Amino acid sequence: MSPPATPAVRDRLRIAIQKSGRLSEPARALLASAGLSWRESRDRLFCYGESLPVDLLLVRDDDIPGLIADGVCDLGVVGRNVLLEQAGERSEAGLPPVFREWRALGFGGCRLSIAVPDGWDWQGPAQLAGKRIATTYPNQLRAWLRQQQVEADIVVLSGSVEIAPRLGQADAICDLVSSGATLAANQLKPVLDILQSEAVLAGPVQPFGDVRAELADLLLRRMDGVLRIRDSKLLLFQAPREALPQVLQLLPDAEPPTMCPVDGSETLALQALCHGAMTWQRLEDLKRAGARGLMVLPVERMLA
Ligand code: PRT
Ligand code: ZN
């Protein structure tokens, strides 16, 4: 099915996600774990929601804020870096804000960083005065330079920013970094992060005034449930009552555990929802503290 030509479909919610790229699979997985399923269309630009009246639009990530601004879609999954850049562009043009971050989603993490040639002896932002900085994020860079009261030339590129210093187009760059391997391969080093980014759920500044408000609420509640327990595990074990203080000390990230005595003895059976990583090291420490029969179970859903 193709999207209707007119933007207003007011009884269904439309979410834009990246068609292909770093955020597309995790975005789909998150929405699917919130209970959404779709009928895929042949052109794969529009997926009709089957389990709920929530449809997907598959687009380039850069188009998502504009689609929300134009009312073509209601929500979108996009990098904070893209959202803020386009918000900055609107603000520079004197336009009012129309989209904003609704939720951080915990994947697609990266930093928007200033990077300089390896040979620079970095002293601080003042060193960028009068220099040329290449970026695809001119609005965020401009705002940051203004904040630092540094005047520099912004060289706007559409890609391959990391080779600009080698090509003599710029002295430094401002680009996304995750592992840092790309910078290292280009004899650059990150010296400052101007933004911590990750994928976010973006939506309009104004709340929906129709049935989409309820759909968005439902979706948010389910997504919050999924996000809250993303790294959580259910830990089951037994422990003698007197070992409890030492054992619980090793579970600072756990919700208050459920406990019950085993056959009226001084041994307790416990179950605790733990939010941090349950490594082998941790299990061995728990065993040393007196826990027995430790079992780590995955948690799929939680409704508080
Ligand atoms: O086709 P479309 O326009 O939809 O995709 P795209 O190519 O613009 O986006 P894509 O899929 O590359 O990135 C989508 C989003 O993923 C970005 O907007 C960020 O929010 C997030 N993200 C997370 C990243 C990175 N990590 C990342 N490392 N986006 C880009 N990079 C690039 C970076 O620009 C640099 O070239 O990876 C390189 C650096 O990686 P490291 O690991 O070598 O440091
Ligand atoms: Zn893009």
Side-chain angles (χ1 to χ4, degrees):
M1 172 181 276
S2 300
T6 49
V9 180
R10 298 305 177 219
D11 55 349
R12 299 182 69 84
L13 197 68
R14 200 180 279 174
I15 306 181
I17 64 168
Q18 199 184 17
K19 184 174 192 303
S20 64
R22 286 180 162 88
L23 307 183
S24 56
E25 276 319 308
R28 267 171 179 266
L30 174 63
L31 295 171
S33 51
L36 300 189
S37 62
W38 311 274
R39 193 165 62 219
E40 300 277 340
S41 69
R42 214 172 276 256
D43 60 9
R44 292 204 63 234
L45 296 178
F46 186 80
C47 306
Y48 187 82
E50 292 197 310
S51 53
L52 281 174
V54 181
D55 305 322
L56 282 192
L57 208 56
L58 307 182
V59 297
R60 290 200 55 193
D61 65 344
D62 320 74
D63 293 337
I64 292 175
L67 290 170
I68 298 174
D70 295 342
V72 175
C73 67
D74 303 307
L75 302 172
V77 175
V78 65
R80 182 180 291 137
N81 48 298
V82 171
L83 194 70
L84 288 180
E85 185 60 23
Q86 298 197 19
E89 196 176 315
R90 286 184 66 88
S91 144
E92 289 280 327
L95 295 168
V98 279
F99 44 75
R100 66 173 176 86
E101 179 174 328
W102 279 27
R103 284 292 187 285
L105 300 179
F107 58 85
C110 56
R111 294 119 50 207
L112 182 60
S113 307
I114 303 284
V116 302
D118 277 339
W120 276 33
D121 175 21
W122 178 249
Q123 308 284 337
Q127 217 173 337
L128 296 170
K131 297 283 194 291
R132 297 162 304 158
I133 312 172
T135 191
T136 47
Y137 294 90
N139 291 295
Q140 281 163 97
L141 176 58
R142 192 177 306 114
W144 179 80
L145 286 168
R146 220 180 269 151
Q147 223 176 44
Q148 302 297 318
Q149 300 179 325
V150 170
E151 285 201 22
D153 291 334
I154 299 176
V155 180
V156 184
L157 299 179
S158 56
S160 305
V161 168
E162 63 279 353
I163 57 170
R166 265 198 296 160
L167 296 180
Q169 286 173 298
D171 305 299
I173 70 167
C174 170
D175 198 12
L176 294 181
V177 182
S178 47
S179 68
T182 305
L183 291 184
N186 287 281
Q187 293 94 49
L188 297 168
K189 59 180 179 187
V191 287
L192 252 173
D193 298 335
I194 70 171
L195 174 76
Q196 296 291 333
S197 186
E198 64 186 282
V200 302
L201 181 72
V205 168
Q206 297 295 339
F208 300 115
D210 51 33
V211 72
R212 290 172 299 164
E214 284 158 48
L215 282 171
D217 267 3
L218 175 72
L219 190 69
L220 276 182
R221 273 200 308 276
R222 289 189 182 181
M223 279 170 95
D224 286 346
V226 174
L227 294 173
R228 193 167 340 120
I229 57 161
R230 177 159 272 181
D231 300 315
S232 303
K233 296 276 182 283
L234 188 65
L235 183 66
L236 304 182
F237 62 99
Q238 295 193 353
R241 195 180 287 275
E242 79 255 16
L244 221 52
Q246 298 92 291
V247 168
L248 293 185
Q249 224 171 30
L250 295 168
L251 298 171
D253 56 335
E255 302 280 336
T258 307
M259 310 181 202
C260 57
V262 178
D263 290 338
S265 71
E266 279 303 290
T267 300
L268 297 170
L270 291 98
Q271 89 178 37
L273 180 65
C274 299
H275 296 292
M278 199 47 70
T279 59
W280 281 108
Q281 179 67 56
R282 246 181 127 186
L283 292 175
E284 285 151 9
D285 291 347
L286 285 162
K287 189 168 178 195
R288 259 191 298 279
R292 292 290 174 270
L294 287 143
M295 249 191 289
V296 182
L297 275 64
V299 181
E300 200 176 298
R301 279 176 206 159
M302 194 172 119
L303 190 62

